[in-house]
Amino acid sequence: MKANRTIDPWDAHRAIEKGEGAVLVDVRTPVEYRALHAEGAVNIPLDAIGTDTLGSIGNGDAPVYLICRTGSRARMAFDKLTGAGSENVLVVEGGTEAWDEAQLLVVRGKKAVSLERQVRVSTGSIVLIGSFLAFFVHPWFWVVPAFIGSGLIFSGVTDTCGMGMVLARMPWNKVADTACTS
């Protein structure tokens, strides 16, 4: 795994304010972006991000600052882009939460349930239902919570989340205009 290059939210803000073509790209779902995002950020969801999408929004030589809620998805986008040859990509340390805590300008919109919270609710629900089914219907339903537990271990080891990737594509995580900008 490549070492991540990071930038402090204030340093990213100052670089963008200079007007030299630096771009702030929010890689969260459109619904999460709509709820809260750094002012001036362009929304390109993680599953849609690539060197071709970056080329359409900015100067090829200018830095691209990746931001998500806390930094995890931005690091995934960083790995994807640098693996494809992009060299001018940095991850904003601490994500939108750090940006907001630094009292930099943010745009607040319609509230949304974060993707991480959706994953926790879905995971808990599946484990609970599988456990009840194993206890009351048939013991073989123990496979359901075991499968979810295995997925959680895999997610923790690889720092990826299959359920999160599936939930990000659900209709409730989409908005009419998926190429949001502020």
Side-chain angles (χ1 to χ4, degrees):
M1 188 166 149
K2 299 171 205 67
N4 288 334
R5 293 184 346 176
T6 61
I7 187 167
D8 174 81
W10 270 106
D11 292 338
H13 174 71
R14 281 190 283 274
I16 292 166
E17 289 295 306
K18 283 183 183 177
E20 297 174 358
V23 179
L24 182 63
V25 177
D26 192 320
V27 299
R28 296 173 301 152
T29 65
V31 170
E32 289 175 295
Y33 172 85
R34 182 181 62 192
L36 173 74
H37 63 271
E39 186 175 84
V42 176
N43 183 225
I44 303 176
L46 178 61
D47 62 347
I49 202 153
T51 54
D52 55 331
T53 54
L54 288 185
S56 68
I57 61 166
N59 175 350
D61 297 328
V64 174
Y65 304 125
L66 301 170
I67 192 168
C68 63
R69 185 171 151 274
T70 59
S72 181
R73 285 178 273 177
R75 285 188 296 278
M76 286 185 229
F78 173 89
D79 289 342
K80 187 175 182 180
L81 292 168
T82 56
S86 294
E87 296 178 10
N88 58 344
V89 181
L90 293 105
V91 174
V92 177
E93 294 173 0
T96 305
E97 286 184 358
W99 190 278
D100 191 26
E101 287 171 12
Q103 298 182 344
L104 294 166
L105 293 178
V106 294
V107 177
R108 295 182 193 279
K110 184 178 175 186
K111 291 275 188 186
V113 178
S114 74
L115 190 59
E116 293 172 37
R117 197 164 151 212
Q118 290 178 45
V119 168
R120 290 194 305 262
V121 169
S122 300
T123 302
S125 299
I126 293 168
V127 168
L128 184 62
I129 290 168
S131 299
F132 276 126
L133 289 172
F135 188 77
F136 292 111
V137 177
H138 195 280
W140 277 100
F141 278 107
W142 67 265
V143 173
V144 174
F147 177 75
I148 296 298
S150 301
L152 288 170
I153 292 169
F154 179 80
S155 176
V157 170
T158 63
D159 198 24
T160 60
C161 182
M163 187 179 292
M165 288 186 246
V166 169
L167 287 172
R169 293 190 169 123
M170 292 293 124
W172 58 84
N173 284 320
K174 305 286 184 198
V175 292
D177 179 19
T178 57
C180 302
T181 60
S182 66

